[in-house]
């Protein structure tokens, strides 16, 4: 590109969020752990279109939690979901309670393409795990039903509820697939 064209483009984009979004996408890819690669570890989200993946990437921030720290606590507002990049997280001391409560409430607790006959809560959530109830993220005013705790140094994408709501309302098939699940592996 010529210098004049670049300057003109910068002038046109000044005052818009386009430059900020382009920079954000670049920064996310520079991490060497792009969301697209992380999504490949998730049985449901790996099938998203490139546009859907980009929508999540554009609205995600990278966060870190030290081992033993809480990503969220029970009864906190449901204001974001996480997609685990590295490390492990768990619903501590909640497996049996979580299973009985969620299976009774919604009939399902998670979507797992390899085994849809069993509803269970894994011991830990690792790379590619989506943790966050889609219905609660779309509807405002929800609270967490459980605590999410990092069991090792954990890096994750944090996607705020407003962004999740916008993405899911624009993609009703994905919204239906995520449903009331607390997590998707």
């Amino acid at each position: 590109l010529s210098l004049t064209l670049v300057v003109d483009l910068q002038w046109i984009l000044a005052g818009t969020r386009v430059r900020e979004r382009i920079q954000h996408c670049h920064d996310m890819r520079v991490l060497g752990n792009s969301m697209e690669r992380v999504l490949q570890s998730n049985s449901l989200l790996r099938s998203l279109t490139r546009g859907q993946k980009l929508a999540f990437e554009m609205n995600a921030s990278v966060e870190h939690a030290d081992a033993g720290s809480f990503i969220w606590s029970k009864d906190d507002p449901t204001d974001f979901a996480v997609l685990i990049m590295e490390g492990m997280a768990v619903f501590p001391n909640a497996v049996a309670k979580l299973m009985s409560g969620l299976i009774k409430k919604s009939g399902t607790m998670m979507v797992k393409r390899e085994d849809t006959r069993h509803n269970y809560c894994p011991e830990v959530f690792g790379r590619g795990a989506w943790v966050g109830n889609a219905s609660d993220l779309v509807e405002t005013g929800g609270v967490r039903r459980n605590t999410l705790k990092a069991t090792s140094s954990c890096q994750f994408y944090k996607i705020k509820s407003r962004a999740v709501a916008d993405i899911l309302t624009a993609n009703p098939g994905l919204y239906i697939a995520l449903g009331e699940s607390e997590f998707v592996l």
Side-chain angles (χ1 to χ4, degrees):
L1 293 173
S2 73
L3 182 58
T4 305
L5 184 58
V6 170
V7 171
D8 287 347
L9 186 56
Q10 288 176 339
W11 180 82
I12 290 168
L13 297 176
T16 70
R17 294 200 54 203
V18 174
R19 286 180 64 173
E20 179 182 314
R21 288 177 174 224
I22 291 170
Q23 184 65 48
H24 178 75
C25 274
H26 175 266
D27 293 346
M28 295 293 273
R29 290 191 175 99
V30 167
L31 287 171
N33 203 357
S34 78
M35 182 176 282
E36 187 153 8
R37 285 193 296 246
V38 174
L39 289 171
Q40 288 304 312
S41 301
N42 187 290
S43 63
L44 173 68
L45 302 178
R46 74 171 54 124
S47 63
L48 296 177
T49 66
R50 178 68 186 120
Q52 291 168 321
K53 290 175 183 177
L54 186 59
F56 278 112
E57 189 172 45
M58 293 288 294
N59 290 287
S61 61
V62 176
E63 303 281 331
H64 180 268
D66 293 324
S69 64
F70 295 101
I71 297 170
W72 67 62
S73 296
K74 185 179 187 298
D75 297 324
D76 281 354
T78 306
D79 54 357
F80 65 93
V82 300
L83 179 67
I84 308 287
M85 296 169 65
E86 296 175 5
M88 305 276 188
V90 66
F91 290 151
N93 305 319
V95 176
K97 181 180 176 189
L98 180 68
M99 281 182 58
S100 63
L102 289 177
I103 292 170
K104 287 177 188 169
K105 179 177 189 282
S106 67
T108 186
M109 189 167 73
M110 65 167 279
V111 176
K112 186 171 187 236
R113 295 286 184 226
E114 298 86 45
D115 185 3
T116 55
R117 298 169 310 188
H118 301 95
N119 293 307
Y120 74 99
C121 183
E123 289 184 27
V124 294
F125 301 110
R127 182 178 177 85
W130 167 273
V131 188
N133 186 299
S135 295
D136 289 347
L137 289 159
V138 171
E139 299 168 17
T140 58
V143 295
R144 305 281 183 185
R145 296 183 187 107
N146 49 64
T147 295
L148 183 63
K149 181 180 180 179
T151 57
S152 67
S153 179
C154 188
Q155 191 171 17
F156 55 91
Y157 290 107
K158 178 179 180 179
I159 304 137
K160 295 193 181 246
S161 60
R162 182 74 247 150
V164 172
D166 290 346
I167 293 166
L168 295 180
T169 54
N171 298 279
L174 179 58
Y175 187 22
I176 290 167
L178 289 172
E180 296 255 339
S181 300
E182 288 292 312
F183 53 88
V184 179
L185 302 178

